Amino acid sequence: MAAAMPQTPSSGGPRTGQTDWQLDPPRIDQDEPLGEIVRQLSVYFIDAIEAPHTFEQLRTASVGHILKPLIKSLSESCHHPDIVSALLILKCHFASGDQDDHGINDTRGHACEIVAWRFLTHLSAAELIDYLLHELPPVSFDPESYDGVGTHPDNGDAAEHAALLSGRDPSATSTRGNTRTSSIAEEEPMASFVGLNALEIAAVAGAKKFLSQRVVQKTVDDIWNGHIIFWESLSVHSKKRAKFYNKARADPYCRLRVPKYQKSFEALFFALFLGLYYAVLVERNPHKITPVEALLYIWIAAFAYDEFGEFRDAGISFYVADFWSLWDIGIIGIGVAYMVSSESLYCLMSSLSDEQVMPASRDEQGEAARQTPPLSDK
């Protein structure tokens, strides 16, 4: 079985179906556009990985050695704040690619997670915040920058010349050039990730292996416990920026934004909802709105407003990735439907009561007139 396993390419080593060749990692400048970073990394992973492997196999030295030059190059010379986000965007791109490739795209996605994880292990605690929690700025997409090697009129001979020098088959190089053109040029992979940080992109991309690593979990725990904060004050002029919590400088009311405390208040909030809901069921009154029911309406309105704020802060991609967000929308929908139906019922009952009262009052007036004795003439 070991002899039948496909070989992965290595720097200066054998490659499946090809002769020896050298694969150089991409050079990424600090001011490189995000789209160009994604394109360069995509070319590298497509060239480097042509056989399916699991995540655990890529972690071993015998299979994952092809990723070591890229990890070393990024950790030593790359200082771009969006490099981790670019790797995770590429993970999402490969995960949503063609599934009839015997798992090669899944392997490339795993490779993106491993490179991002290993890159983070070379950073300090302050640098981890900068790379993991830096939000992507708006980007301008230029389709011409994704033409690939095979689409530029001057790149055909250059690609063939490079393939001959390295001992590779020119036809294979042309095929890979068309592959990377079709995989990147046909879509805008960055458009839906604007405003998200690397952790949020990992959640949207389903990068569970990346999120489960200790260096990432340490940052997640620090955010949960409030050791890392995004706001230092509640002022409208304050800007969102991830930093370590400083008790002497931060506004104490900003501790209300700490996820651990927010979830505690949410638990009390839902307990209040259950109490109001039970009280409305016990005190059913189809003829008027009771004070308890009015409080339930106020709760539904406050919950809807809070959910709208979460949607605005998270963005649509990250918001829909959370199942409980969709559950909250269902709660709001049911609450609105209840408010509309109950108000309609009150109006109907009120109109029926008025129709029954008016004939009864006319009959009573007639009966009273018949029973009143006539005035005698004097």
Side-chain angles (χ1 to χ4, degrees), residues 45-46 49-50 94 103-112 179:
F45 286 116
I46 290 174
I49 299 176
E50 291 186 336
F94 284 131
I104 297 179
N105 274 337
D106 289 337
T107 303
R108 292 165 179 162
H110 293 328
C112 294
T179 301

Side-chain angles (χ1 to χ4, degrees), residues 62-210:
S62 59
V63 177
H65 57 268
I66 186 60
L67 303 177
K68 290 183 178 180
L70 178 60
I71 296 171
K72 181 179 179 181
S73 175
L74 294 180
S75 60
E76 292 179 354
S77 60
C78 181
H79 304 286
H80 199 289
D82 297 331
I83 182 62
V84 178
S85 298
L87 287 165
L88 295 173
I89 289 174
L90 202 54
K91 151 69 181 179
C92 182
H93 169 72
F94 284 131
S96 60
D98 187 10
Q99 299 300 321
D100 296 331
D101 56 356
H102 307 289
I104 297 179
N105 274 337
D106 289 337
T107 303
R108 292 165 179 162
H110 293 328
C112 294
E113 293 185 74
I114 289 177
V115 173
W117 157 44
R118 295 284 175 81
F119 173 78
L120 294 178
T121 59
H122 294 84
L123 304 177
S124 64
E127 290 174 332
L128 275 175
I129 295 179
D130 294 335
Y131 283 93
L132 276 178
L133 303 178
H134 175 262
E135 295 182 352
L136 293 181
V139 294
S140 57
F141 178 74
D142 183 11
E144 295 182 358
S145 65
Y146 293 90
D147 285 344
V149 174
T151 58
H152 195 281
D154 297 331
N155 283 346
D157 295 339
E160 182 178 353
H161 182 62
L164 291 174
L165 288 177
S166 61
R168 287 181 286 175
D169 186 6
S171 61
T173 302
S174 176
T175 302
R176 284 189 298 275
N178 294 333
T179 301
R180 58 178 86 112
T181 300
S182 61
S183 62
I184 298 296
E186 294 178 358
E187 63 179 359
E188 304 176 17
M190 289 75 64
S192 59
F193 298 104
V194 171
L196 302 183
N197 57 46
L199 286 180
E200 293 170 337
I201 294 173
V204 173
K208 297 180 181 179
K209 300 292 186 181
F210 171 80

